[in-house]
mmCIF file of all heavy atoms in Angstrom:
data_model
loop_
_atom_site.group_PDB
_atom_site.id
_atom_site.type_symbol
_atom_site.label_atom_id
_atom_site.label_comp_id
_atom_site.label_asym_id
_atom_site.label_seq_id
_atom_site.Cartn_x
_atom_site.Cartn_y
_atom_site.Cartn_z
ATOM 1 N N THR A 127 70.697 53.566 58.848
ATOM 2 C CA THR A 127 69.373 53.029 59.177
ATOM 3 C C THR A 127 68.310 54.109 59.030
ATOM 4 O O THR A 127 67.218 53.868 58.497
ATOM 5 C CB THR A 127 69.373 52.479 60.607
ATOM 6 O OG1 THR A 127 70.395 51.483 60.735
ATOM 7 C CG2 THR A 127 68.037 51.862 60.962
ATOM 8 N N ALA A 128 68.634 55.310 59.506
ATOM 9 C CA ALA A 128 67.680 56.415 59.423
ATOM 10 C C ALA A 128 67.428 56.821 57.978
ATOM 11 O O ALA A 128 66.291 57.094 57.581
ATOM 12 C CB ALA A 128 68.197 57.603 60.229
ATOM 13 N N ALA A 129 68.493 56.876 57.163
ATOM 14 C CA ALA A 129 68.329 57.240 55.753
ATOM 15 C C ALA A 129 67.465 56.206 55.028
ATOM 16 O O ALA A 129 66.643 56.559 54.170
ATOM 17 C CB ALA A 129 69.692 57.364 55.084
ATOM 18 N N ALA A 130 67.641 54.934 55.387
ATOM 19 C CA ALA A 130 66.806 53.892 54.789
ATOM 20 C C ALA A 130 65.344 54.074 55.178
ATOM 21 O O ALA A 130 64.440 53.863 54.358
ATOM 22 C CB ALA A 130 67.308 52.517 55.219
ATOM 23 N N ALA A 131 65.092 54.478 56.433
ATOM 24 C CA ALA A 131 63.718 54.716 56.883
ATOM 25 C C ALA A 131 63.095 55.891 56.139
ATOM 26 O O ALA A 131 61.922 55.859 55.771
ATOM 27 C CB ALA A 131 63.702 54.966 58.388
ATOM 28 N N VAL A 132 63.896 56.930 55.889
ATOM 29 C CA VAL A 132 63.407 58.066 55.110
ATOM 30 C C VAL A 132 63.094 57.627 53.686
ATOM 31 O O VAL A 132 62.051 57.965 53.125
ATOM 32 C CB VAL A 132 64.445 59.210 55.109
ATOM 33 C CG1 VAL A 132 64.047 60.302 54.125
ATOM 34 C CG2 VAL A 132 64.584 59.799 56.507
ATOM 35 N N GLY A 133 64.000 56.854 53.093
ATOM 36 C CA GLY A 133 63.785 56.387 51.730
ATOM 37 C C GLY A 133 62.562 55.505 51.592
ATOM 38 O O GLY A 133 61.863 55.548 50.580
ATOM 39 N N ALA A 134 62.295 54.706 52.624
ATOM 40 C CA ALA A 134 61.148 53.801 52.596
ATOM 41 C C ALA A 134 59.845 54.500 52.929
ATOM 42 O O ALA A 134 58.767 53.908 52.796
ATOM 43 C CB ALA A 134 61.373 52.641 53.565
ATOM 44 N N GLY A 135 59.920 55.758 53.389
ATOM 45 C CA GLY A 135 58.707 56.484 53.757
ATOM 46 C C GLY A 135 58.228 56.201 55.157
ATOM 47 O O GLY A 135 57.132 56.612 55.531
ATOM 48 N N THR A 136 59.052 55.512 55.969
ATOM 49 C CA THR A 136 58.676 55.267 57.363
ATOM 50 C C THR A 136 58.599 56.568 58.140
ATOM 51 O O THR A 136 57.741 56.735 59.009
ATOM 52 C CB THR A 136 59.692 54.317 58.021
ATOM 53 O OG1 THR A 136 59.803 53.126 57.243
ATOM 54 C CG2 THR A 136 59.279 53.962 59.436
ATOM 55 N N VAL A 137 59.524 57.486 57.849
ATOM 56 C CA VAL A 137 59.498 58.830 58.423
ATOM 57 C C VAL A 137 59.695 59.831 57.294
ATOM 58 O O VAL A 137 60.227 59.492 56.231
ATOM 59 C CB VAL A 137 60.585 59.031 59.508
ATOM 60 C CG1 VAL A 137 60.325 58.151 60.720
ATOM 61 C CG2 VAL A 137 61.980 58.770 58.949
ATOM 62 N N ASP A 138 59.272 61.064 57.531
ATOM 63 C CA ASP A 138 59.464 62.112 56.534
ATOM 64 C C ASP A 138 60.845 62.741 56.625
ATOM 65 O O ASP A 138 61.376 63.226 55.615
ATOM 66 C CB ASP A 138 58.400 63.208 56.712
ATOM 67 C CG ASP A 138 57.007 62.713 56.393
ATOM 68 O OD1 ASP A 138 56.791 62.289 55.241
ATOM 69 O OD2 ASP A 138 56.144 62.739 57.282
#
Side-chain angles (χ1 to χ4, degrees):
T127 303
V132 171
T136 305
V137 294
D138 293 300

